[in-house]
């Protein structure tokens, strides 16, 4: 608790100044009448453990954990949800009775955005994921649980895509390939960009064969203007091409629910975000 009696939360990342989480959680708190404070906490990797424990010791109630700390923080939690262990990453901490509970709300955030906000049918859909890093690992199991027909992981480095297949092959149809090997023979209903290329200002040769006029394209990255991938997909004639703003708000709502026991209305917050983004 803060000295003025308000429950304290925050987001730890490095860098973190660009994070929208404080705005989103303040909007949730306003909407649901919850009295809380949410801080932006820039923490270097070698200071992470101390910073988390310090936040806990001083009465903090919960944290969001973002890039680059999501895998590392999993090492200091006392208990971890099954979805966080499958993702190999933690994005939400709950401090309770002296213990640290770690969860991961990214996967459920993506699925809610796809199904509820965007009206995409996942069942029996062939899904292509570009990239095989931490972001990819966090979304495979939730997609498989949504009964997709197949998951294909295309990555610049084939061995990393193959590692993902090894991790998730017992839960559904999953294959690995390079960008060059993506063929137009399988029609993809959903293509997700989970590479960090755009964030780093790169524009790799994304696989053109993946896109048809029936393909929905989703970039886990987001920005005030279209990301390179979402622009590319729209230009290639995809049915629709969207950025991950909805996932961001939905994962935050799930964290808020874990902390406060109330579920905020995300649609109105997404609308407010769109206004502030324009
Ligand atoms: P994250 O945790 O955000 O997923 P990561 O683990 O560093 O980040 O993974 C980044 C992903 O983006 C990887 O799949 C990486 O491809 P490699 O495994 O070949 O490194 C992919 N990526 C990053 N920059 C890229 C680029 N310019 N072209 C193609 N893929 C890129």
């Amino acid at each position: 608790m803060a000295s003025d009696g308000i429950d304290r939360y925050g987001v730890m990342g490095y860098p973190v100044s660009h994070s929208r989480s404080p705005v989103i959680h303040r909007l949730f708190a306003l909407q649901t009448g919850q009295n809380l404070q949410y801080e932006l906490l820039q923490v270097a990797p070698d200071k992470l453990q101390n910073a988390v424990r310090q936040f806990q010791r001083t009465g903090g109630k919960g944290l969001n954990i973002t890039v680059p700390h999501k895998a590392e923080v999993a090492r200091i939690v006392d208990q971890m949800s099954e979805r966080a262990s499958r993702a190999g990453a933690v994005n939400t901490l709950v401090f309770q009775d002296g213990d640290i509970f770690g969860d991961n709300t990214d996967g459920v955030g993506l699925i809610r955005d796809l199904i509820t906000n965007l009206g995409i049918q996942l069942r029996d859909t062939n899904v292509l994921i570009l990239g095989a890093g931490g972001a990819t690992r966090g979304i495979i199991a939730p997609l498989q649980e949504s009964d997709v027909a197949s998951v294909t992981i295309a990555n610049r480095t084939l061995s990393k895509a193959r590692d993902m297949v090894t991790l998730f092959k017992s839960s559904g149809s999953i294959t690995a390939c390079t960008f060059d090997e993506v063929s137009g023979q399988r029609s993809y209903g959903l293509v997700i960009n989970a590479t960090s290329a755009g964030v780093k200002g790169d524009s790799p040769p994304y696989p053109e064969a993946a896109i048809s006029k029936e393909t929905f394209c989703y970039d886990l990255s987001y920005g005030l203007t279209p990301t390179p991938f979402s622009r590319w997909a729209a230009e290639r004639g995809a049915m629709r091409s969207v950025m991950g703003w909805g996932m961001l708000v939905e994962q935050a709502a799930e964290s808020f629910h874990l902390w406060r026991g109330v579920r905020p209305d995300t649609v109105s917050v997404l609308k407010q975000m769109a206004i502030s983004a324009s």
Side-chain angles (χ1 to χ4, degrees):
M1 224 186 289
S3 52
D4 48 6
I6 299 175
D7 289 346
R8 281 172 59 221
Y9 298 88
V11 55
M12 278 185 188
Y14 191 79
V16 81
S17 56
H18 63 281
S19 170
R20 302 302 170 108
S21 293
V23 174
I24 295 171
H25 283 281
R26 279 171 207 151
L27 289 172
F28 287 165
L30 212 62
Q31 182 202 95
T32 57
Q34 297 281 310
N35 196 15
L36 58 87
Q37 134 188 348
Y38 191 102
E39 302 159 26
L40 204 53
L41 302 156
Q42 171 135 318
V43 175
D46 61 332
K47 305 272 186 327
L48 179 68
Q49 291 215 14
N50 280 344
V52 169
R53 297 208 185 279
Q54 162 87 0
F55 193 82
Q56 179 189 28
R57 249 196 324 272
T58 53
K61 297 280 185 187
L63 282 172
N64 282 132
I65 302 294
T66 189
V67 180
H69 303 316
K70 289 185 192 184
E72 183 59 27
V73 82
R75 294 152 59 101
I76 61 165
V77 300
D78 299 299
Q79 296 155 46
M80 196 173 6
S81 68
E82 207 184 311
R83 60 190 181 184
S85 358
R86 273 196 307 255
V90 163
N91 80 334
T92 307
L93 299 179
V94 183
F95 302 114
Q96 218 165 23
D97 307 325
D99 273 357
I100 306 177
F101 171 69
D103 201 349
N104 190 318
T105 65
D106 286 331
V108 72
L110 172 67
I111 301 297
R112 287 224 179 100
D113 192 35
L114 290 173
I115 295 181
T116 313
N117 301 338
L118 298 165
I120 296 174
Q121 172 177 310
L122 290 177
R123 178 181 288 270
D124 300 332
T125 295
N126 291 315
V127 181
L128 173 68
I129 304 177
L130 306 176
T136 296
R137 182 165 171 188
I139 62 173
I140 296 174
L143 285 166
Q144 289 177 323
E145 283 158 16
S146 304
D147 296 326
V148 297
S150 66
V151 175
T152 305
I153 313 285
N155 197 43
R156 179 175 61 182
T157 313
L158 182 59
S159 60
K160 287 214 239 162
R162 287 195 171 136
D163 290 346
M164 290 292 161
V165 170
T166 306
L167 276 173
F168 293 99
K169 66 182 174 205
S170 62
S171 327
S173 161
I174 179 164
T175 47
C177 63
T178 61
F179 285 4
D180 289 345
E181 288 164 350
V182 172
S183 88
Q185 277 172 346
R186 175 172 281 182
S187 109
Y188 294 106
L190 176 62
V191 176
I192 298 174
N193 177 37
T195 72
S196 55
V199 180
K200 297 190 302 190
D202 294 341
S203 240
Y206 292 117
E208 301 205 355
I211 312 289
S212 77
K213 59 183 188 323
E214 270 100 52
T215 312
F216 196 110
C217 290
Y218 193 100
D219 195 341
L220 297 188
S221 311
Y222 44 84
L224 296 181
T225 53
T227 54
F229 172 78
S230 66
R231 210 175 326 118
W232 172 84
E235 283 164 9
R236 286 295 308 149
M239 179 178 72
R240 222 178 135 189
S241 174
V242 304
M243 298 187 283
W245 286 107
M247 174 179 175
L248 176 73
V249 173
E250 294 297 339
Q251 62 79 28
E254 184 75 6
S255 299
F256 193 89
H257 181 250
L258 282 170
W259 294 330
R260 309 300 296 183
V262 280
R263 198 171 281 287
D265 170 50
T266 49
V267 174
S268 61
V269 170
L270 255 172
K271 281 193 190 131
Q272 280 167 284
M273 299 286 294
I275 290 163
S276 63
S278 62

